[in-house]
Every structure is written in C-alpha cells, then in structure tokens.
Coordinates of all heavy atoms in Angstrom, one line a residue:
M131 N 113.6 -12.2 238.2 CA 112.3 -12.5 237.7 C 112.2 -12.2 236.3 O 112.5 -11.1 235.7 CB 111.3 -11.6 238.6 CG 109.8 -12.0 238.1 SD 108.6 -10.9 239.0 CE 109.0 -11.1 240.7
T132 N 111.6 -13.1 235.5 CA 111.5 -12.9 234.0 C 110.3 -11.9 233.7 O 109.5 -11.7 234.7 CB 111.2 -14.2 233.3 OG1 109.9 -14.7 233.7 CG2 112.3 -15.2 233.5
H133 N 110.2 -11.4 232.6 CA 109.2 -10.4 232.3 C 107.9 -11.1 232.4 O 106.8 -10.5 233.0 CB 109.4 -9.8 230.8 CG 108.3 -8.9 230.5 ND1 108.2 -7.7 231.0 CD2 107.3 -9.0 229.6 CE1 107.2 -7.0 230.5 NE2 106.6 -7.8 229.6
A134 N 107.7 -12.4 232.0 CA 106.5 -13.1 232.0 C 106.1 -13.3 233.5 O 104.8 -13.2 233.8 CB 106.7 -14.5 231.3
E135 N 107.0 -13.7 234.4 CA 106.7 -13.7 235.7 C 106.3 -12.4 236.3 O 105.3 -12.4 237.2 CB 107.9 -14.4 236.5 CG 108.3 -15.7 236.2 CD 109.6 -16.1 236.9 OE1 110.5 -15.3 236.9 OE2 109.7 -17.4 237.2
E136 N 106.9 -11.4 236.0 CA 106.6 -10.1 236.6 C 105.1 -9.6 236.1 O 104.3 -9.1 236.8 CB 107.5 -9.1 236.0 CG 107.3 -7.7 236.7 CD 108.4 -6.7 236.5 OE1 109.5 -6.8 237.0 OE2 108.2 -5.8 235.6
E137 N 104.8 -10.0 234.8 CA 103.4 -9.7 234.3 C 102.5 -10.4 235.1 O 101.4 -10.1 235.5 CB 103.4 -10.2 232.9 CG 104.0 -9.3 231.9 CD 103.3 -7.8 231.8 OE1 102.1 -7.9 231.8 OE2 104.0 -6.9 231.9
H138 N 102.8 -11.8 235.5 CA 101.9 -12.6 236.3 C 101.8 -12.2 237.8 O 100.6 -12.2 238.3 CB 102.3 -14.1 236.1 CG 101.5 -15.0 236.8 ND1 100.2 -15.3 236.4 CD2 101.6 -15.8 238.0 CE1 99.6 -16.2 237.4 NE2 100.4 -16.5 238.2
R139 N 102.8 -11.9 238.3 CA 102.8 -11.6 239.7 C 102.8 -10.1 240.0 O 102.5 -9.8 241.2 CB 104.2 -12.2 240.3 CG 104.3 -13.7 240.4 CD 105.4 -14.1 241.1 NE 105.6 -13.3 242.4 CZ 106.7 -13.2 243.1 NH1 107.8 -14.0 242.8 NH2 106.8 -12.6 244.1
G140 N 102.9 -9.3 239.1 CA 102.9 -7.9 239.5 C 104.3 -7.3 239.6 O 105.4 -8.1 239.7
I141 N 104.4 -6.1 239.6 CA 105.7 -5.3 239.7 C 106.3 -5.7 241.1 O 105.5 -5.7 242.1 CB 105.6 -3.9 239.5 CG1 105.2 -3.6 238.0 CG2 106.9 -3.1 239.7 CD1 104.7 -2.2 237.8
D142 N 107.6 -5.8 241.3 CA 108.2 -6.1 242.5 C 107.8 -4.9 243.5 O 107.9 -3.7 243.1 CB 109.7 -6.1 242.2 CG 110.5 -6.2 243.5 OD1 110.0 -6.7 244.5 OD2 111.8 -6.0 243.6
A143 N 107.4 -5.3 244.6 CA 106.8 -4.3 245.6 C 107.8 -3.2 245.9 O 107.5 -2.0 246.0 CB 106.5 -5.0 246.9
A144 N 109.1 -3.5 245.9 CA 110.1 -2.5 246.3 C 110.3 -1.5 245.1 O 110.7 -0.3 245.3 CB 111.5 -3.2 246.5
R145 N 109.8 -1.8 243.9 CA 109.9 -0.9 242.8 C 108.6 0.0 242.6 O 108.6 0.9 241.9 CB 110.1 -1.7 241.5 CG 111.5 -2.3 241.4 CD 111.7 -3.2 240.1 NE 111.2 -2.5 238.9 CZ 110.6 -3.1 237.9 NH1 110.7 -4.5 237.9 NH2 110.2 -2.6 236.8
L146 N 107.6 -0.2 243.4 CA 106.4 0.5 243.3 C 106.6 1.8 244.0 O 107.3 1.9 245.1 CB 105.3 -0.2 244.0 CG 104.7 -1.4 243.4 CD1 103.8 -2.2 244.3 CD2 104.0 -1.2 242.1
G147 N 106.0 2.9 243.4 CA 106.0 4.2 244.1 C 105.1 4.0 245.4 O 104.3 3.2 245.5
E148 N 105.0 5.0 246.2 CA 104.2 5.1 247.4 C 102.8 5.0 247.0 O 102.0 4.1 247.6 CB 104.6 6.3 248.3 CG 103.9 6.2 249.6 CD 104.4 5.2 250.5 OE1 105.5 4.6 250.3 OE2 103.8 5.0 251.6
H149 N 102.3 5.8 246.2 CA 100.9 5.8 245.8 C 100.5 4.4 245.1 O 99.5 3.8 245.6 CB 100.6 6.9 244.7 CG 99.2 6.9 244.3 ND1 98.2 7.3 245.1 CD2 98.7 6.4 243.1 CE1 97.0 7.2 244.3 NE2 97.3 6.7 243.2
E150 N 101.4 3.8 244.3 CA 101.1 2.5 243.8 C 101.0 1.4 244.8 O 100.2 0.5 244.8 CB 102.1 2.2 242.6 CG 101.9 3.0 241.4 CD 102.5 4.5 241.5 OE1 103.3 4.6 242.5 OE2 102.3 5.3 240.7
L151 N 102.0 1.5 245.7 CA 102.0 0.4 246.8 C 100.7 0.5 247.6 O 100.1 -0.5 247.9 CB 103.2 0.7 247.7 CG 103.3 -0.3 248.9 CD1 103.5 -1.7 248.5 CD2 104.5 0.2 249.8
I152 N 100.3 1.6 248.1 CA 99.1 1.8 248.8 C 97.8 1.2 247.9 O 97.0 0.5 248.4 CB 98.8 3.3 249.2 CG1 100.0 3.7 250.2 CG2 97.5 3.4 249.9 CD1 100.1 3.0 251.4
R153 N 97.8 1.6 246.7 CA 96.7 1.2 245.8 C 96.8 -0.4 245.7 O 95.7 -1.0 245.8 CB 96.9 1.8 244.4 CG 95.6 1.5 243.6 CD 95.7 2.1 242.2 NE 96.8 1.6 241.5 CZ 97.9 2.3 240.9 NH1 97.8 3.6 240.8 NH2 98.7 1.7 240.2
E154 N 97.9 -0.9 245.6 CA 98.0 -2.4 245.5 C 97.6 -3.0 246.8 O 96.9 -4.1 246.7 CB 99.5 -2.8 245.2 CG 99.9 -2.5 243.7 CD 99.4 -3.5 242.7 OE1 99.3 -4.7 243.0 OE2 99.1 -3.1 241.6
L155 N 97.9 -2.4 247.9 CA 97.5 -3.1 249.1 C 96.0 -3.0 249.3 O 95.4 -3.9 249.8 CB 98.2 -2.4 250.3 CG 99.6 -2.8 250.6 CD1 100.4 -1.7 251.4 CD2 99.7 -4.1 251.1
E156 N 95.4 -1.9 249.0 CA 93.9 -1.7 249.1 C 93.3 -2.7 248.2 O 92.3 -3.4 248.7 CB 93.6 -0.3 248.7 CG 93.9 0.8 249.7 CD 93.8 2.2 249.3 OE1 93.5 2.4 248.0 OE2 93.9 3.1 250.1
T157 N 93.7 -2.9 247.0 CA 93.1 -3.9 246.0 C 93.3 -5.2 246.5 O 92.2 -6.0 246.5 CB 93.8 -3.8 244.6 OG1 93.6 -2.4 244.2 CG2 93.2 -4.7 243.7
I158 N 94.4 -5.6 247.1 CA 94.6 -7.1 247.4 C 93.8 -7.4 248.8 O 93.3 -8.4 248.9 CB 96.1 -7.4 247.5 CG1 96.2 -8.9 247.3 CG2 96.7 -6.9 248.9 CD1 97.7 -9.4 247.0
H159 N 93.7 -6.4 249.6 CA 93.0 -6.6 250.8 C 91.4 -6.8 250.6 O 90.8 -7.6 251.1 CB 93.2 -5.5 251.8 CG 94.5 -5.7 252.5 ND1 95.4 -4.6 252.7 CD2 95.2 -6.7 253.1 CE1 96.5 -5.0 253.3 NE2 96.4 -6.2 253.5
R160 N 91.0 -6.0 249.6 CA 89.5 -6.1 249.2 C 89.3 -7.4 248.6 O 88.2 -8.0 248.6 CB 89.2 -5.0 248.1 CG 88.8 -3.7 248.8 CD 88.1 -2.7 247.7 NE 88.9 -2.7 246.5 CZ 89.8 -1.6 246.4 NH1 90.1 -0.8 247.3 NH2 90.4 -1.5 245.2
S161 N 90.2 -8.0 247.8 CA 89.9 -9.2 247.1 C 90.2 -10.5 247.9 O 90.0 -11.6 247.5 CB 90.7 -9.2 245.7 OG 92.1 -9.3 246.0
R162 N 90.8 -10.4 249.1 CA 91.3 -11.5 250.0 C 90.1 -12.5 250.2 O 90.3 -13.6 250.1 CB 91.9 -11.0 251.2 CG 92.4 -12.1 252.1 CD 93.5 -12.8 251.3 NE 94.1 -13.8 252.1 CZ 94.9 -14.7 251.9 NH1 95.5 -14.6 250.6 NH2 95.5 -15.6 252.6
H163 N 89.0 -11.9 250.7 CA 87.9 -12.8 251.2 C 87.4 -13.6 250.0 O 87.2 -14.9 250.3 CB 86.8 -11.9 251.8 CG 85.8 -12.7 252.5 ND1 86.0 -13.4 253.6 CD2 84.4 -12.9 252.1 CE1 84.8 -14.0 254.0 NE2 83.9 -13.8 253.0
D164 N 87.1 -13.0 248.8 CA 86.6 -13.8 247.7 C 87.6 -14.8 247.3 O 87.3 -15.9 247.0 CB 86.4 -12.7 246.6 CG 85.6 -13.5 245.4 OD1 84.5 -14.1 245.6 OD2 86.1 -13.3 244.4
T165 N 88.9 -14.4 247.3 CA 90.1 -15.4 246.9 C 90.0 -16.7 247.9 O 90.1 -17.8 247.5 CB 91.3 -14.7 246.9 OG1 91.3 -13.7 245.9 CG2 92.5 -15.8 246.4
L166 N 89.9 -16.3 249.2 CA 89.8 -17.4 250.1 C 88.6 -18.3 250.1 O 88.7 -19.5 250.1 CB 89.7 -16.7 251.6 CG 89.6 -17.8 252.8 CD1 90.8 -18.7 252.9 CD2 89.4 -17.0 254.1
L167 N 87.5 -17.7 249.7 CA 86.2 -18.5 249.6 C 86.2 -19.3 248.3 O 85.6 -20.3 248.3 CB 85.0 -17.7 249.9 CG 84.9 -17.0 251.2 CD1 83.6 -16.1 251.3 CD2 84.8 -18.1 252.3
H168 N 86.5 -18.6 247.2 CA 86.3 -19.2 245.9 C 87.5 -19.5 245.0 O 87.2 -19.9 244.0 CB 85.3 -18.2 245.2 CG 84.1 -17.9 246.0 ND1 83.1 -18.9 246.3 CD2 83.7 -16.7 246.6 CE1 82.3 -18.3 247.0 NE2 82.5 -17.0 247.2
G169 N 88.7 -19.1 245.5 CA 89.9 -19.3 244.6 C 90.3 -20.7 244.7 O 90.1 -21.4 245.7
S170 N 91.1 -21.1 243.7 CA 91.8 -22.4 243.8 C 93.0 -22.3 244.7 O 93.3 -21.2 245.2 CB 92.3 -22.7 242.3 OG 93.4 -21.9 242.1
A171 N 93.5 -23.5 245.1 CA 94.6 -23.6 246.0 C 95.8 -22.7 245.5 O 96.4 -22.0 246.2 CB 95.0 -24.9 246.3
A172 N 96.0 -22.8 244.2 CA 97.0 -22.1 243.5 C 96.8 -20.6 243.6 O 97.8 -19.8 243.8 CB 97.3 -22.5 242.1
A173 N 95.6 -20.1 243.3 CA 95.2 -18.8 243.5 C 95.4 -18.2 244.8 O 95.8 -17.1 245.0 CB 93.8 -18.4 243.0
L174 N 95.0 -19.0 245.9 CA 95.1 -18.6 247.1 C 96.6 -18.5 247.6 O 96.9 -17.5 248.2 CB 94.4 -19.5 248.2 CG 94.4 -19.1 249.6 CD1 93.7 -17.7 249.8 CD2 93.6 -20.2 250.4
A175 N 97.4 -19.4 247.2 CA 98.8 -19.3 247.5 C 99.5 -18.1 246.8 O 100.3 -17.5 247.5 CB 99.5 -20.7 247.0
A176 N 99.1 -17.9 245.6 CA 99.7 -16.7 244.9 C 99.3 -15.4 245.6 O 100.0 -14.5 245.7 CB 99.3 -16.7 243.4
H177 N 98.0 -15.4 245.9 CA 97.4 -14.1 246.6 C 98.2 -13.9 248.0 O 98.5 -12.8 248.2 CB 96.0 -14.4 246.8 CG 95.1 -13.1 247.1 ND1 95.1 -12.5 248.5 CD2 94.4 -12.4 246.4 CE1 94.4 -11.5 248.4 NE2 93.9 -11.3 247.1
T178 N 98.3 -15.0 248.7 CA 99.0 -14.9 250.0 C 100.5 -14.4 249.7 O 100.9 -13.6 250.6 CB 99.1 -16.4 250.7 OG1 97.6 -16.7 250.9 CG2 99.8 -16.2 252.0
T179 N 101.2 -14.9 248.8 CA 102.5 -14.5 248.6 C 102.7 -13.0 248.2 O 103.5 -12.3 248.7 CB 103.2 -15.4 247.4 OG1 103.1 -16.8 247.9 CG2 104.6 -15.0 247.1
R180 N 101.8 -12.7 247.3 CA 101.8 -11.3 246.9 C 101.3 -10.3 248.0 O 101.9 -9.3 248.2 CB 100.8 -11.0 245.7 CG 100.7 -9.6 245.1 CD 102.1 -9.2 244.6 NE 101.9 -8.0 243.9 CZ 102.9 -7.1 243.5 NH1 104.1 -7.4 243.8 NH2 102.6 -6.0 242.9
M181 N 100.4 -10.8 248.8 CA 100.0 -9.8 250.0 C 101.1 -9.8 250.9 O 101.4 -8.6 251.4 CB 98.7 -10.5 250.5 CG 98.2 -9.5 251.6 SD 96.6 -10.1 252.2 CE 96.9 -11.7 252.9
A182 N 101.8 -10.8 251.1 CA 102.9 -10.7 252.2 C 104.0 -9.9 251.6 O 104.6 -9.0 252.4 CB 103.5 -12.1 252.4
E183 N 104.3 -9.9 250.3 CA 105.3 -9.0 249.6 C 105.0 -7.6 249.8 O 105.8 -6.8 250.2 CB 105.5 -9.4 248.1 CG 106.2 -10.7 248.0 CD 106.1 -11.2 246.4 OE1 105.5 -10.4 245.7 OE2 106.7 -12.2 246.2
L184 N 103.7 -7.3 249.5 CA 103.3 -5.9 249.6 C 103.3 -5.4 251.0 O 103.8 -4.2 251.3 CB 101.9 -5.7 249.0 CG 101.7 -6.0 247.5 CD1 100.3 -6.1 247.1 CD2 102.4 -4.9 246.7
E185 N 102.8 -6.2 252.0 CA 102.8 -5.8 253.4 C 104.2 -5.6 254.0 O 104.4 -4.6 254.7 CB 102.0 -6.8 254.1 CG 100.6 -6.7 253.8 CD 99.6 -7.7 254.6 OE1 100.3 -8.7 255.2 OE2 98.4 -7.7 254.6
A186 N 105.1 -6.5 253.5 CA 106.5 -6.4 254.0 C 107.1 -5.1 253.5 O 107.9 -4.4 254.3 CB 107.2 -7.7 253.7
E187 N 106.9 -4.8 252.3 CA 107.4 -3.6 251.7 C 106.8 -2.3 252.4 O 107.6 -1.4 252.7 CB 107.1 -3.4 250.3 CG 107.7 -2.2 249.6 CD 109.2 -2.0 249.7 OE1 109.9 -3.0 249.9 OE2 109.7 -0.9 249.5
Y188 N 105.6 -2.4 252.8 CA 105.0 -1.2 253.5 C 105.6 -1.1 254.8 O 106.0 0.0 255.3 CB 103.4 -1.4 253.6 CG 102.8 -0.3 254.3 CD1 102.4 0.9 253.7 CD2 102.6 -0.3 255.6 CE1 102.0 2.0 254.4 CE2 102.1 0.7 256.3 CZ 101.7 1.9 255.7 OH 101.2 3.0 256.4
L189 N 105.8 -2.2 255.5 CA 106.3 -2.1 256.8 C 107.8 -1.8 256.8 O 108.3 -1.1 257.7 CB 106.3 -3.5 257.6 CG 104.7 -3.9 257.9 CD1 104.8 -5.3 258.4 CD2 104.2 -2.9 259.0
R190 N 108.5 -2.1 255.7 CA 109.9 -1.7 255.6 C 109.9 -0.1 255.5 O 110.8 0.4 256.0 CB 110.5 -2.4 254.3 CG 112.1 -2.1 254.2 CD 112.6 -2.6 252.8 NE 112.1 -1.9 251.7 CZ 112.5 -0.6 251.4 NH1 113.4 0.1 252.1 NH2 111.9 0.1 250.3
R191 N 109.1 0.3 254.7 CA 109.0 1.8 254.4 C 108.6 2.5 255.5 O 108.9 3.8 255.7 CB 108.2 2.2 253.2 CG 108.7 1.7 251.9 CD 107.9 2.1 250.9 NE 108.2 1.4 249.6 CZ 107.6 1.7 248.4 NH1 106.7 2.6 248.3 NH2 108.0 1.0 247.3
H192 N 107.7 2.0 256.5 CA 107.1 2.7 257.5 C 107.3 2.0 258.8 O 106.3 1.6 259.5 CB 105.6 2.8 257.1 CG 105.3 3.6 255.9 ND1 105.4 4.9 255.8 CD2 105.1 3.0 254.7 CE1 105.1 5.2 254.6 NE2 105.0 4.2 253.9
P193 N 108.5 1.8 259.2 CA 108.8 1.1 260.6 C 108.2 1.8 261.8 O 108.0 1.1 262.8 CB 110.3 0.9 260.6 CG 110.7 2.1 259.9 CD 109.8 2.3 258.7
D194 N 108.0 3.1 261.7 CA 107.5 3.9 262.8 C 106.1 4.3 262.6 O 105.6 5.3 263.2 CB 108.4 5.0 263.1 CG 109.8 4.6 263.5 OD1 109.9 3.6 264.2 OD2 110.8 5.4 263.1
R195 N 105.3 3.5 261.8 CA 103.9 3.9 261.6 C 103.1 3.9 262.9 O 103.5 3.3 263.8 CB 103.2 2.9 260.6 CG 103.0 1.5 261.2 CD 102.6 0.5 260.2 NE 102.0 -0.7 260.7 CZ 102.5 -1.5 261.7 NH1 103.8 -1.3 262.1 NH2 101.9 -2.5 262.1
P196 N 102.1 4.9 262.9 CA 101.4 4.9 264.2 C 100.5 3.6 264.4 O 100.0 3.2 263.5 CB 100.4 6.2 263.9 CG 100.5 6.4 262.6 CD 101.7 5.8 262.0
V197 N 100.5 3.1 265.7 CA 99.8 2.0 266.0 C 98.7 2.4 267.0 O 99.0 3.1 267.9 CB 100.6 0.9 266.7 CG1 99.9 -0.3 267.0 CG2 101.7 0.5 265.6
A198 N 97.3 2.1 266.6 CA 96.3 2.5 267.5 C 96.4 1.6 268.8 O 96.5 0.3 268.6 CB 95.0 2.2 266.7
S199 N 96.1 2.1 269.8 CA 96.2 1.3 271.2 C 95.2 0.2 271.1 O 95.5 -0.9 271.8 CB 96.1 2.3 272.4 OG 94.9 2.8 272.3
G200 N 94.1 0.3 270.6 CA 93.1 -0.7 270.5 C 93.5 -1.8 269.6 O 92.8 -3.0 269.6
R201 N 94.5 -1.8 268.8 CA 95.1 -2.8 268.0 C 96.3 -3.6 268.5 O 96.9 -4.2 267.9 CB 95.4 -2.3 266.6 CG 94.3 -1.5 265.9 CD 93.1 -2.4 265.6 NE 93.5 -3.5 264.6 CZ 92.8 -4.4 264.2 NH1 91.5 -4.4 264.6 NH2 93.2 -5.3 263.4
T202 N 96.5 -3.3 269.9 CA 97.6 -4.1 270.5 C 96.9 -5.1 271.4 O 95.8 -5.1 271.8 CB 98.3 -3.2 271.3 OG1 97.6 -2.6 272.4 CG2 98.9 -2.0 270.4
R203 N 97.7 -6.1 271.9 CA 97.1 -7.0 272.9 C 96.6 -6.3 274.2 O 95.7 -6.7 274.7 CB 98.3 -8.1 273.3 CG 98.5 -8.9 272.2 CD 99.5 -10.1 272.5 NE 99.7 -10.9 271.5 CZ 100.5 -11.9 271.5 NH1 101.2 -12.2 272.5 NH2 100.7 -12.8 270.4
A204 N 97.5 -5.4 274.6 CA 97.1 -4.6 275.9 C 95.7 -3.9 275.6 O 94.9 -3.9 276.6 CB 98.1 -3.6 276.3
G205 N 95.5 -3.4 274.4 CA 94.3 -2.7 274.2 C 93.1 -3.6 274.1 O 92.0 -3.4 274.5
A206 N 93.4 -4.8 273.5 CA 92.3 -5.8 273.4 C 92.0 -6.3 274.8 O 90.8 -6.5 275.1 CB 92.7 -6.9 272.5
R207 N 92.9 -6.5 275.7 CA 92.6 -7.0 277.1 C 91.8 -5.8 277.8 O 90.9 -6.1 278.6 CB 93.8 -7.2 277.8 CG 94.5 -8.6 277.4 CD 95.6 -9.0 278.4 NE 96.8 -8.2 278.2 CZ 97.7 -8.4 277.5 NH1 97.7 -9.4 276.5 NH2 98.8 -7.8 277.5
A208 N 92.2 -4.6 277.6 CA 91.4 -3.5 278.1 C 89.9 -3.5 277.7 O 89.0 -3.2 278.5 CB 92.1 -2.1 277.9
R209 N 89.6 -3.7 276.5 CA 88.3 -3.8 275.9 C 87.5 -5.0 276.7 O 86.3 -4.9 277.0 CB 88.3 -4.1 274.4 CG 88.4 -2.8 273.7 CD 88.0 -3.0 272.1 NE 88.7 -4.2 271.6 CZ 89.8 -4.3 271.0 NH1 90.6 -3.2 271.0 NH2 90.4 -5.3 270.4
E210 N 88.3 -6.1 276.8 CA 87.6 -7.2 277.5 C 87.2 -7.0 278.8 O 86.1 -7.3 279.3 CB 88.6 -8.5 277.5 CG 88.8 -9.1 276.1 CD 89.8 -10.2 276.1 OE1 90.3 -10.5 277.2 OE2 90.2 -10.7 275.1
H211 N 88.0 -6.2 279.6 CA 87.6 -5.9 281.0 C 86.5 -4.9 281.1 O 86.0 -4.7 282.1 CB 88.9 -5.4 281.7 CG 89.9 -6.4 281.9 ND1 90.8 -6.9 281.0 CD2 90.0 -7.3 283.0 CE1 91.5 -7.9 281.5 NE2 91.1 -8.3 282.6
R212 N 86.3 -4.0 280.0 CA 85.4 -3.1 280.1 C 83.9 -3.6 279.8 O 82.9 -3.2 280.2 CB 85.6 -2.0 279.0 CG 86.6 -0.9 279.4 CD 86.5 0.2 278.5 NE 86.5 -0.3 277.0 CZ 87.3 0.1 276.1 NH1 88.3 0.9 276.3 NH2 87.2 -0.4 274.9
D213 N 83.9 -4.7 279.0 CA 82.6 -5.3 278.6 C 82.0 -6.1 279.5 O 82.4 -6.5 280.6 CB 82.8 -6.2 277.3 CG 83.4 -5.4 276.1 OD1 83.1 -4.1 276.0 OD2 84.1 -6.1 275.2

C-alpha cells in the first residue's frame, strides 16, 4: 500500500496496537449508521472494507473471546420460547 493509500484508508489493522485497534473499532461502529443512511456508494464501500479489516484483525487476535450465550442462535431461540 502506498503512503497516500494508507493515509486515505488508515493504518493497516495488523500494525495497530491493541488500544488503537479497539479505538478504531469503536469509532467505525459509531459512524456506521450515518454512513449507511447518508454516505455515497463509494463511502459505504470504503467503510465496509475498513470495518471488515478491523473486525478480522480483532478476531485474529482474540479467537477465544468470551461469547455471551444470548448472542448465539441457541440463546436467541431460548429467548423466543420465554416470550
């Protein structure tokens, strides 16, 4: 990636420190809805690409992250049966 491309897209997710990766994820998730509703097709595509890169890097670093039971299919089915 050229310096100009890096400036436009941001630092390669693999090169971010842990704190920076989390900060980038928080920022991109906060801006997603606005980009979806009001961004151009190119802006939405760039946002989607960057979000996927950041998320993939987080998952690579944290393959054994804790998963809340309510965030699984089984947990969702259990909620449906309670309601």
Side-chain angles (χ1 to χ4, degrees):
M131 179 182 314
T132 68
H133 181 67
E135 289 171 327
E136 187 171 285
E137 286 289 316
H138 180 69
R139 291 188 40 196
I141 298 169
D142 180 15
R145 292 180 38 212
L146 293 170
E148 188 68 13
H149 178 74
E150 291 79 16
L151 177 62
I152 296 300
R153 187 180 64 231
E154 289 280 326
L155 282 164
E156 289 170 347
T157 299
I158 204 160
H159 285 132
R160 274 195 309 272
S161 66
R162 181 62 177 183
H163 188 72
D164 191 54
T165 304
L166 173 64
L167 295 179
H168 306 293
S170 66
L174 184 58
H177 198 278
T178 299
T179 298
R180 180 64 172 168
M181 189 170 64
E183 290 170 356
L184 294 168
E185 289 176 348
E187 179 60 21
Y188 181 84
L189 292 173
R190 185 190 69 75
R191 292 182 192 187
H192 303 280
D194 297 322
R195 73 194 195 294
V197 176
S199 61
R201 302 298 297 179
T202 64
R203 287 184 181 180
R207 284 193 290 275
R209 278 194 313 274
E210 289 174 4
H211 288 86
R212 282 191 314 233
D213 296 338

